[in-house]
mmCIF file of all heavy atoms in Angstrom:
data_model
loop_
_atom_site.group_PDB
_atom_site.id
_atom_site.type_symbol
_atom_site.label_atom_id
_atom_site.label_comp_id
_atom_site.label_asym_id
_atom_site.label_seq_id
_atom_site.Cartn_x
_atom_site.Cartn_y
_atom_site.Cartn_z
ATOM 1 N N ILE A 4 -12.045 0.585 2.629
ATOM 2 C CA ILE A 4 -12.661 -0.618 2.058
ATOM 3 C C ILE A 4 -12.250 -1.858 2.845
ATOM 4 O O ILE A 4 -13.036 -2.806 3.002
ATOM 5 C CB ILE A 4 -12.310 -0.771 0.555
ATOM 6 C CG1 ILE A 4 -13.232 -1.797 -0.095
ATOM 7 C CG2 ILE A 4 -10.864 -1.139 0.346
ATOM 8 C CD1 ILE A 4 -14.678 -1.387 -0.150
ATOM 9 N N THR A 5 -11.022 -1.858 3.388
ATOM 10 C CA THR A 5 -10.590 -2.979 4.229
ATOM 11 C C THR A 5 -11.406 -3.036 5.508
ATOM 12 O O THR A 5 -11.858 -4.111 5.940
ATOM 13 C CB THR A 5 -9.084 -2.850 4.563
ATOM 14 O OG1 THR A 5 -8.326 -2.891 3.350
ATOM 15 C CG2 THR A 5 -8.628 -3.985 5.476
ATOM 16 N N ARG A 6 -11.604 -1.875 6.133
ATOM 17 C CA ARG A 6 -12.406 -1.806 7.364
ATOM 18 C C ARG A 6 -13.846 -2.249 7.089
ATOM 19 O O ARG A 6 -14.434 -3.022 7.870
ATOM 20 C CB ARG A 6 -12.376 -0.377 7.907
ATOM 21 C CG ARG A 6 -13.212 -0.152 9.160
ATOM 22 C CD ARG A 6 -12.619 -0.896 10.342
ATOM 23 N NE ARG A 6 -13.435 -0.690 11.550
ATOM 24 C CZ ARG A 6 -13.190 0.258 12.442
ATOM 25 N NH1 ARG A 6 -12.180 1.104 12.268
ATOM 26 N NH2 ARG A 6 -13.958 0.371 13.510
ATOM 27 N N TYR A 7 -14.407 -1.780 5.988
ATOM 28 C CA TYR A 7 -15.780 -2.150 5.629
ATOM 29 C C TYR A 7 -15.899 -3.657 5.413
ATOM 30 O O TYR A 7 -16.823 -4.308 5.894
ATOM 31 C CB TYR A 7 -16.181 -1.383 4.374
ATOM 32 C CG TYR A 7 -17.553 -1.722 3.845
ATOM 33 C CD1 TYR A 7 -18.685 -1.594 4.646
ATOM 34 C CD2 TYR A 7 -17.714 -2.166 2.537
ATOM 35 C CE1 TYR A 7 -19.943 -1.894 4.160
ATOM 36 C CE2 TYR A 7 -18.968 -2.471 2.031
ATOM 37 C CZ TYR A 7 -20.086 -2.341 2.851
ATOM 38 O OH TYR A 7 -21.324 -2.636 2.370
ATOM 39 N N HIS A 8 -14.941 -4.226 4.692
ATOM 40 C CA HIS A 8 -14.956 -5.655 4.403
ATOM 41 C C HIS A 8 -14.822 -6.479 5.682
ATOM 42 O O HIS A 8 -15.545 -7.468 5.877
ATOM 43 C CB HIS A 8 -13.814 -5.988 3.433
ATOM 44 C CG HIS A 8 -13.591 -7.447 3.239
ATOM 45 N ND1 HIS A 8 -14.526 -8.280 2.670
ATOM 46 C CD2 HIS A 8 -12.518 -8.232 3.544
ATOM 47 C CE1 HIS A 8 -14.055 -9.514 2.613
ATOM 48 N NE2 HIS A 8 -12.831 -9.516 3.139
ATOM 49 N N LEU A 9 -13.928 -6.088 6.573
ATOM 50 C CA LEU A 9 -13.709 -6.858 7.793
ATOM 51 C C LEU A 9 -14.847 -6.676 8.798
ATOM 52 O O LEU A 9 -15.059 -7.537 9.654
ATOM 53 C CB LEU A 9 -12.377 -6.460 8.430
ATOM 54 C CG LEU A 9 -11.134 -6.845 7.632
ATOM 55 C CD1 LEU A 9 -9.872 -6.375 8.334
ATOM 56 C CD2 LEU A 9 -11.082 -8.364 7.407
ATOM 57 N N ASP A 10 -15.572 -5.567 8.722
ATOM 58 C CA ASP A 10 -16.756 -5.405 9.566
ATOM 59 C C ASP A 10 -17.839 -6.406 9.168
ATOM 60 O O ASP A 10 -18.592 -6.900 10.021
ATOM 61 C CB ASP A 10 -17.303 -3.979 9.448
ATOM 62 C CG ASP A 10 -16.458 -2.978 10.232
ATOM 63 O OD1 ASP A 10 -15.668 -3.413 11.086
ATOM 64 O OD2 ASP A 10 -16.575 -1.772 9.954
ATOM 65 N N VAL A 11 -17.919 -6.695 7.861
ATOM 66 C CA VAL A 11 -18.919 -7.636 7.362
ATOM 67 C C VAL A 11 -18.447 -9.083 7.510
ATOM 68 O O VAL A 11 -19.215 -9.968 7.888
ATOM 69 C CB VAL A 11 -19.247 -7.338 5.885
ATOM 70 C CG1 VAL A 11 -20.216 -8.377 5.316
ATOM 71 C CG2 VAL A 11 -19.829 -5.940 5.751
ATOM 72 N N GLU A 12 -17.159 -9.316 7.202
ATOM 73 C CA GLU A 12 -16.576 -10.658 7.303
ATOM 74 C C GLU A 12 -15.354 -10.605 8.221
ATOM 75 O O GLU A 12 -14.217 -10.558 7.740
ATOM 76 C CB GLU A 12 -16.186 -11.178 5.922
ATOM 77 C CG GLU A 12 -17.366 -11.393 4.982
ATOM 78 C CD GLU A 12 -16.941 -12.026 3.664
ATOM 79 O OE1 GLU A 12 -15.726 -12.078 3.394
ATOM 80 O OE2 GLU A 12 -17.820 -12.470 2.917
ATOM 81 N N PRO A 13 -15.564 -10.598 9.527
ATOM 82 C CA PRO A 13 -14.431 -10.492 10.466
ATOM 83 C C PRO A 13 -13.455 -11.651 10.307
ATOM 84 O O PRO A 13 -13.858 -12.800 10.096
ATOM 85 C CB PRO A 13 -15.115 -10.522 11.846
ATOM 86 C CG PRO A 13 -16.535 -10.154 11.586
ATOM 87 C CD PRO A 13 -16.857 -10.674 10.231
ATOM 88 N N SER A 14 -12.166 -11.339 10.399
ATOM 89 C CA SER A 14 -11.134 -12.358 10.284
ATOM 90 C C SER A 14 -9.820 -11.793 10.809
ATOM 91 O O SER A 14 -9.604 -10.576 10.795
ATOM 92 C CB SER A 14 -10.961 -12.797 8.820
ATOM 93 O OG SER A 14 -9.892 -13.725 8.691
ATOM 94 N N VAL A 15 -8.957 -12.681 11.291
ATOM 95 C CA VAL A 15 -7.605 -12.302 11.686
ATOM 96 C C VAL A 15 -6.567 -13.053 10.852
ATOM 97 O O VAL A 15 -5.372 -12.918 11.085
ATOM 98 C CB VAL A 15 -7.364 -12.574 13.189
ATOM 99 C CG1 VAL A 15 -8.253 -11.692 14.042
ATOM 100 C CG2 VAL A 15 -7.581 -14.050 13.526
ATOM 101 N N GLU A 16 -7.022 -13.840 9.880
ATOM 102 C CA GLU A 16 -6.120 -14.584 9.005
ATOM 103 C C GLU A 16 -5.438 -13.625 8.038
ATOM 104 O O GLU A 16 -6.094 -12.776 7.414
ATOM 105 C CB GLU A 16 -6.881 -15.652 8.225
ATOM 106 C CG GLU A 16 -7.507 -16.725 9.106
ATOM 107 C CD GLU A 16 -8.255 -17.754 8.279
ATOM 108 O OE1 GLU A 16 -8.076 -17.760 7.042
ATOM 109 O OE2 GLU A 16 -9.004 -18.548 8.869
ATOM 110 N N GLU A 17 -4.133 -13.777 7.885
ATOM 111 C CA GLU A 17 -3.355 -12.841 7.077
ATOM 112 C C GLU A 17 -3.855 -12.770 5.638
ATOM 113 O O GLU A 17 -3.948 -11.695 5.052
ATOM 114 C CB GLU A 17 -1.880 -13.237 7.097
ATOM 115 C CG GLU A 17 -0.992 -12.276 6.328
ATOM 116 C CD GLU A 17 0.481 -12.573 6.522
ATOM 117 O OE1 GLU A 17 0.847 -13.169 7.546
ATOM 118 O OE2 GLU A 17 1.282 -12.193 5.640
ATOM 119 N N ALA A 18 -4.171 -13.921 5.050
ATOM 120 C CA ALA A 18 -4.594 -13.939 3.652
ATOM 121 C C ALA A 18 -5.909 -13.198 3.440
ATOM 122 O O ALA A 18 -6.144 -12.622 2.373
ATOM 123 C CB ALA A 18 -4.726 -15.380 3.163
ATOM 124 N N ARG A 19 -6.767 -13.166 4.459
ATOM 125 C CA ARG A 19 -8.090 -12.569 4.311
ATOM 126 C C ARG A 19 -8.120 -11.093 4.686
ATOM 127 O O ARG A 19 -8.932 -10.338 4.153
ATOM 128 C CB ARG A 19 -9.102 -13.343 5.150
ATOM 129 C CG ARG A 19 -9.248 -14.808 4.731
ATOM 130 C CD ARG A 19 -10.392 -15.487 5.434
ATOM 131 N NE ARG A 19 -11.676 -14.890 5.061
ATOM 132 C CZ ARG A 19 -12.845 -15.283 5.567
ATOM 133 N NH1 ARG A 19 -12.889 -16.235 6.478
ATOM 134 N NH2 ARG A 19 -13.959 -14.705 5.178
ATOM 135 N N VAL A 20 -7.260 -10.672 5.604
ATOM 136 C CA VAL A 20 -7.310 -9.268 6.033
ATOM 137 C C VAL A 20 -6.598 -8.343 5.050
ATOM 138 O O VAL A 20 -6.730 -7.119 5.149
ATOM 139 C CB VAL A 20 -6.694 -9.095 7.432
ATOM 140 C CG1 VAL A 20 -7.433 -9.942 8.454
ATOM 141 C CG2 VAL A 20 -5.204 -9.421 7.432
ATOM 142 N N GLN A 21 -5.847 -8.899 4.095
ATOM 143 C CA GLN A 21 -5.098 -8.049 3.178
ATOM 144 C C GLN A 21 -5.562 -8.167 1.729
ATOM 145 O O GLN A 21 -4.831 -7.827 0.803
ATOM 146 C CB GLN A 21 -3.607 -8.395 3.249
ATOM 147 C CG GLN A 21 -3.267 -9.822 2.842
ATOM 148 C CD GLN A 21 -1.780 -10.023 2.646
ATOM 149 O OE1 GLN A 21 -1.079 -9.143 2.165
ATOM 150 N NE2 GLN A 21 -1.293 -11.193 3.010
ATOM 151 N N VAL A 22 -6.787 -8.614 1.514
ATOM 152 C CA VAL A 22 -7.251 -8.845 0.144
ATOM 153 C C VAL A 22 -7.295 -7.556 -0.680
ATOM 154 O O VAL A 22 -7.222 -7.599 -1.914
ATOM 155 C CB VAL A 22 -8.640 -9.525 0.130
ATOM 156 C CG1 VAL A 22 -8.557 -10.936 0.659
ATOM 157 C CG2 VAL A 22 -9.652 -8.700 0.921
ATOM 158 N N PHE A 23 -7.403 -6.392 -0.035
ATOM 159 C CA PHE A 23 -7.473 -5.125 -0.771
ATOM 160 C C PHE A 23 -6.173 -4.313 -0.686
ATOM 161 O O PHE A 23 -6.106 -3.212 -1.221
ATOM 162 C CB PHE A 23 -8.629 -4.267 -0.244
ATOM 163 C CG PHE A 23 -9.981 -4.856 -0.503
ATOM 164 C CD1 PHE A 23 -10.676 -5.507 0.496
ATOM 165 C CD2 PHE A 23 -10.559 -4.774 -1.763
ATOM 166 C CE1 PHE A 23 -11.926 -6.057 0.261
ATOM 167 C CE2 PHE A 23 -11.810 -5.324 -2.018
ATOM 168 C CZ PHE A 23 -12.493 -5.976 -1.000
ATOM 169 N N HIS A 24 -5.173 -4.847 -0.032
ATOM 170 C CA HIS A 24 -3.955 -4.068 0.228
ATOM 171 C C HIS A 24 -3.256 -3.597 -1.045
ATOM 172 O O HIS A 24 -2.616 -2.545 -1.053
ATOM 173 C CB HIS A 24 -2.982 -4.894 1.070
ATOM 174 C CG HIS A 24 -3.262 -4.824 2.547
ATOM 175 N ND1 HIS A 24 -4.536 -4.713 3.055
ATOM 176 C CD2 HIS A 24 -2.438 -4.847 3.630
ATOM 177 C CE1 HIS A 24 -4.483 -4.673 4.368
ATOM 178 N NE2 HIS A 24 -3.218 -4.745 4.745
ATOM 179 N N ASN A 25 -3.332 -4.377 -2.111
ATOM 180 C CA ASN A 25 -2.618 -4.033 -3.349
ATOM 181 C C ASN A 25 -3.461 -3.259 -4.359
ATOM 182 O O ASN A 25 -2.990 -2.972 -5.461
ATOM 183 C CB ASN A 25 -2.087 -5.309 -4.021
ATOM 184 C CG ASN A 25 -0.938 -5.924 -3.254
ATOM 185 O OD1 ASN A 25 0.025 -5.248 -2.903
ATOM 186 N ND2 ASN A 25 -1.036 -7.216 -2.970
ATOM 187 N N CYS A 26 -4.692 -2.941 -3.979
ATOM 188 C CA CYS A 26 -5.616 -2.344 -4.953
ATOM 189 C C CYS A 26 -5.071 -1.066 -5.591
ATOM 190 O O CYS A 26 -5.095 -0.917 -6.810
ATOM 191 C CB CYS A 26 -6.952 -2.048 -4.276
ATOM 192 S SG CYS A 26 -8.002 -3.489 -4.074
ATOM 193 N N LEU A 27 -4.615 -0.136 -4.778
ATOM 194 C CA LEU A 27 -4.183 1.170 -5.273
ATOM 195 C C LEU A 27 -2.713 1.423 -4.959
ATOM 196 O O LEU A 27 -2.271 2.570 -4.941
ATOM 197 C CB LEU A 27 -5.048 2.273 -4.650
ATOM 198 C CG LEU A 27 -6.565 2.142 -4.870
ATOM 199 C CD1 LEU A 27 -7.312 3.190 -4.068
ATOM 200 C CD2 LEU A 27 -6.907 2.260 -6.347
ATOM 201 N N VAL A 28 -1.959 0.346 -4.754
ATOM 202 C CA VAL A 28 -0.575 0.479 -4.295
ATOM 203 C C VAL A 28 0.325 1.138 -5.328
ATOM 204 O O VAL A 28 1.382 1.683 -4.993
ATOM 205 C CB VAL A 28 -0.020 -0.911 -3.903
ATOM 206 C CG1 VAL A 28 0.244 -1.753 -5.137
ATOM 207 C CG2 VAL A 28 1.241 -0.764 -3.066
ATOM 208 N N ILE A 29 -0.084 1.144 -6.581
ATOM 209 C CA ILE A 29 0.741 1.743 -7.624
ATOM 210 C C ILE A 29 0.972 3.233 -7.367
ATOM 211 O O ILE A 29 2.046 3.760 -7.701
ATOM 212 C CB ILE A 29 0.096 1.516 -9.016
ATOM 213 C CG1 ILE A 29 1.044 2.006 -10.113
ATOM 214 C CG2 ILE A 29 -1.254 2.196 -9.117
ATOM 215 C CD1 ILE A 29 0.558 1.678 -11.509
ATOM 216 N N LEU A 30 0.012 3.919 -6.756
ATOM 217 C CA LEU A 30 0.148 5.360 -6.530
ATOM 218 C C LEU A 30 1.190 5.687 -5.456
ATOM 219 O O LEU A 30 2.109 6.478 -5.717
ATOM 220 C CB LEU A 30 -1.219 5.956 -6.194
ATOM 221 C CG LEU A 30 -2.250 5.863 -7.331
ATOM 222 C CD1 LEU A 30 -3.617 6.347 -6.854
ATOM 223 C CD2 LEU A 30 -1.791 6.666 -8.531
ATOM 224 N N PRO A 31 1.126 5.104 -4.246
ATOM 225 C CA PRO A 31 2.202 5.379 -3.283
ATOM 226 C C PRO A 31 3.556 4.838 -3.727
ATOM 227 O O PRO A 31 4.601 5.410 -3.383
ATOM 228 C CB PRO A 31 1.720 4.693 -1.998
ATOM 229 C CG PRO A 31 0.672 3.739 -2.425
ATOM 230 C CD PRO A 31 0.039 4.321 -3.640
ATOM 231 N N THR A 32 3.561 3.761 -4.523
ATOM 232 C CA THR A 32 4.829 3.223 -5.014
ATOM 233 C C THR A 32 5.521 4.228 -5.931
ATOM 234 O O THR A 32 6.713 4.518 -5.777
ATOM 235 C CB THR A 32 4.600 1.905 -5.775
ATOM 236 O OG1 THR A 32 3.993 0.948 -4.904
ATOM 237 C CG2 THR A 32 5.917 1.344 -6.284
ATOM 238 N N CYS A 33 4.778 4.749 -6.890
ATOM 239 C CA CYS A 33 5.357 5.715 -7.827
ATOM 240 C C CYS A 33 5.772 6.992 -7.099
ATOM 241 O O CYS A 33 6.814 7.581 -7.412
ATOM 242 C CB CYS A 33 4.354 6.035 -8.928
ATOM 243 S SG CYS A 33 4.064 4.668 -10.076
ATOM 244 N N PHE A 34 4.971 7.420 -6.127
ATOM 245 C CA PHE A 34 5.331 8.633 -5.382
ATOM 246 C C PHE A 34 6.629 8.443 -4.628
ATOM 247 O O PHE A 34 7.517 9.315 -4.663
ATOM 248 C CB PHE A 34 4.213 9.006 -4.415
ATOM 249 C CG PHE A 34 4.609 10.096 -3.457
ATOM 250 C CD1 PHE A 34 4.759 11.406 -3.899
ATOM 251 C CD2 PHE A 34 4.866 9.810 -2.124
ATOM 252 C CE1 PHE A 34 5.153 12.419 -3.021
ATOM 253 C CE2 PHE A 34 5.257 10.809 -1.242
ATOM 254 C CZ PHE A 34 5.400 12.110 -1.696
ATOM 255 N N LEU A 35 6.781 7.318 -3.932
ATOM 256 C CA LEU A 35 7.994 7.092 -3.149
ATOM 257 C C LEU A 35 9.215 7.000 -4.061
ATOM 258 O O LEU A 35 10.287 7.518 -3.726
ATOM 259 C CB LEU A 35 7.848 5.809 -2.327
ATOM 260 C CG LEU A 35 9.013 5.473 -1.385
ATOM 261 C CD1 LEU A 35 9.257 6.618 -0.412
ATOM 262 C CD2 LEU A 35 8.723 4.178 -0.625
ATOM 263 N N PHE A 36 9.062 6.361 -5.207
ATOM 264 C CA PHE A 36 10.173 6.252 -6.154
ATOM 265 C C PHE A 36 10.602 7.636 -6.642
ATOM 266 O O PHE A 36 11.792 7.976 -6.637
ATOM 267 C CB PHE A 36 9.754 5.384 -7.340
ATOM 268 C CG PHE A 36 10.879 5.020 -8.267
ATOM 269 C CD1 PHE A 36 11.577 3.846 -8.105
ATOM 270 C CD2 PHE A 36 11.244 5.865 -9.312
ATOM 271 C CE1 PHE A 36 12.623 3.498 -8.960
ATOM 272 C CE2 PHE A 36 12.280 5.545 -10.165
ATOM 273 C CZ PHE A 36 12.974 4.356 -9.990
ATOM 274 N N LEU A 37 9.634 8.451 -7.037
ATOM 275 C CA LEU A 37 9.947 9.796 -7.516
ATOM 276 C C LEU A 37 10.511 10.673 -6.404
ATOM 277 O O LEU A 37 11.422 11.479 -6.635
ATOM 278 C CB LEU A 37 8.692 10.444 -8.098
ATOM 279 C CG LEU A 37 8.285 9.995 -9.504
ATOM 280 C CD1 LEU A 37 6.923 10.570 -9.860
ATOM 281 C CD2 LEU A 37 9.318 10.406 -10.537
ATOM 282 N N LEU A 38 9.977 10.523 -5.194
ATOM 283 C CA LEU A 38 10.462 11.310 -4.068
ATOM 284 C C LEU A 38 11.932 11.012 -3.787
ATOM 285 O O LEU A 38 12.735 11.934 -3.575
ATOM 286 C CB LEU A 38 9.614 11.016 -2.834
ATOM 287 C CG LEU A 38 10.007 11.767 -1.549
ATOM 288 C CD1 LEU A 38 9.786 13.270 -1.729
ATOM 289 C CD2 LEU A 38 9.214 11.244 -0.357
ATOM 290 N N CYS A 39 12.287 9.734 -3.788
ATOM 291 C CA CYS A 39 13.688 9.352 -3.545
ATOM 292 C C CYS A 39 14.584 9.868 -4.663
ATOM 293 O O CYS A 39 15.691 10.367 -4.402
ATOM 294 C CB CYS A 39 13.812 7.833 -3.432
ATOM 295 S SG CYS A 39 13.086 7.134 -1.941
ATOM 296 N N ARG A 40 14.109 9.791 -5.898
ATOM 297 C CA ARG A 40 14.943 10.259 -7.008
ATOM 298 C C ARG A 40 15.172 11.765 -6.923
ATOM 299 O O ARG A 40 16.287 12.259 -7.134
ATOM 300 C CB ARG A 40 14.299 9.907 -8.343
ATOM 301 C CG ARG A 40 15.264 10.230 -9.479
ATOM 302 C CD ARG A 40 14.654 10.194 -10.848
ATOM 303 N NE ARG A 40 15.689 10.589 -11.810
ATOM 304 C CZ ARG A 40 15.445 10.986 -13.027
ATOM 305 N NH1 ARG A 40 14.216 11.059 -13.463
ATOM 306 N NH2 ARG A 40 16.427 11.330 -13.832
ATOM 307 N N LYS A 41 14.108 12.497 -6.604
ATOM 308 C CA LYS A 41 14.223 13.951 -6.600
ATOM 309 C C LYS A 41 15.055 14.455 -5.423
ATOM 310 O O LYS A 41 15.895 15.352 -5.577
ATOM 311 C CB LYS A 41 12.829 14.581 -6.562
ATOM 312 C CG LYS A 41 12.851 16.097 -6.672
ATOM 313 C CD LYS A 41 11.474 16.668 -6.839
ATOM 314 C CE LYS A 41 11.520 18.196 -6.938
ATOM 315 N NZ LYS A 41 12.317 18.670 -8.084
ATOM 316 N N THR A 42 14.843 13.882 -4.245
ATOM 317 C CA THR A 42 15.528 14.387 -3.055
ATOM 318 C C THR A 42 16.970 13.896 -2.947
ATOM 319 O O THR A 42 17.790 14.525 -2.265
ATOM 320 C CB THR A 42 14.767 13.984 -1.781
ATOM 321 O OG1 THR A 42 14.631 12.550 -1.746
ATOM 322 C CG2 THR A 42 13.397 14.622 -1.763
ATOM 323 N N MET A 43 17.297 12.785 -3.621
ATOM 324 C CA MET A 43 18.638 12.218 -3.502
ATOM 325 C C MET A 43 19.421 12.293 -4.802
ATOM 326 O O MET A 43 20.472 11.660 -4.939
ATOM 327 C CB MET A 43 18.546 10.753 -3.042
ATOM 328 C CG MET A 43 17.803 10.568 -1.732
ATOM 329 S SD MET A 43 17.635 8.824 -1.263
ATOM 330 C CE MET A 43 19.348 8.412 -0.931
ATOM 331 N N ALA A 44 18.931 13.077 -5.753
ATOM 332 C CA ALA A 44 19.548 13.121 -7.079
ATOM 333 C C ALA A 44 20.981 13.616 -7.045
ATOM 334 O O ALA A 44 21.805 13.218 -7.861
ATOM 335 C CB ALA A 44 18.710 13.999 -8.018
ATOM 336 N N GLY A 45 21.321 14.483 -6.111
ATOM 337 C CA GLY A 45 22.672 15.025 -6.070
ATOM 338 C C GLY A 45 23.596 14.326 -5.104
ATOM 339 O O GLY A 45 24.730 14.779 -4.893
ATOM 340 N N MET A 46 23.149 13.247 -4.499
ATOM 341 C CA MET A 46 23.976 12.566 -3.503
ATOM 342 C C MET A 46 25.113 11.808 -4.181
ATOM 343 O O MET A 46 24.901 11.035 -5.114
ATOM 344 C CB MET A 46 23.117 11.595 -2.671
ATOM 345 C CG MET A 46 23.874 10.932 -1.539
ATOM 346 S SD MET A 46 22.793 9.964 -0.452
ATOM 347 C CE MET A 46 21.818 11.281 0.293
ATOM 348 N N ARG A 47 26.305 12.000 -3.695
ATOM 349 C CA ARG A 47 27.478 11.376 -4.282
ATOM 350 C C ARG A 47 27.608 9.927 -3.810
ATOM 351 O O ARG A 47 27.350 9.609 -2.653
ATOM 352 C CB ARG A 47 28.745 12.140 -3.923
ATOM 353 C CG ARG A 47 28.798 13.564 -4.469
ATOM 354 C CD ARG A 47 30.144 14.189 -4.187
ATOM 355 N NE ARG A 47 31.234 13.439 -4.811
ATOM 356 C CZ ARG A 47 31.630 13.621 -6.066
ATOM 357 N NH1 ARG A 47 31.024 14.511 -6.833
ATOM 358 N NH2 ARG A 47 32.627 12.909 -6.550
ATOM 359 N N SER A 48 28.027 9.071 -4.736
ATOM 360 C CA SER A 48 28.206 7.664 -4.414
ATOM 361 C C SER A 48 29.581 7.367 -3.834
ATOM 362 O O SER A 48 29.818 6.253 -3.365
ATOM 363 C CB SER A 48 27.989 6.814 -5.668
ATOM 364 O OG SER A 48 28.959 7.141 -6.660
#
């Protein structure tokens, strides 16, 4: 969707090229959190 949007409205401005970056970020965020918890659960402090 970012590629499609920038093909129609080309821009190199940071605020405009990342308008969709947070759309589905909840899914990789939760995965990374769970991955770290599961793989590092037995690590001693």
Side-chain angles (χ1 to χ4, degrees):
I4 195 66
T5 299
R6 178 68 181 266
Y7 177 57
H8 171 64
L9 293 179
D10 284 344
V11 176
E12 295 185 348
S14 176
V15 295
E16 297 180 13
E17 183 172 336
R19 299 189 64 182
V20 301
Q21 62 168 324
V22 292
F23 294 102
H24 276 34
N25 289 310
C26 281
L27 303 173
V28 73
I29 186 173
L30 296 174
T32 300
C33 290
F34 170 72
L35 183 57
F36 189 93
L37 282 172
L38 180 65
C39 290
R40 188 192 177 198
K41 185 171 180 60
T42 57
M43 303 177 67
M46 185 173 293
R47 296 186 60 85
S48 62

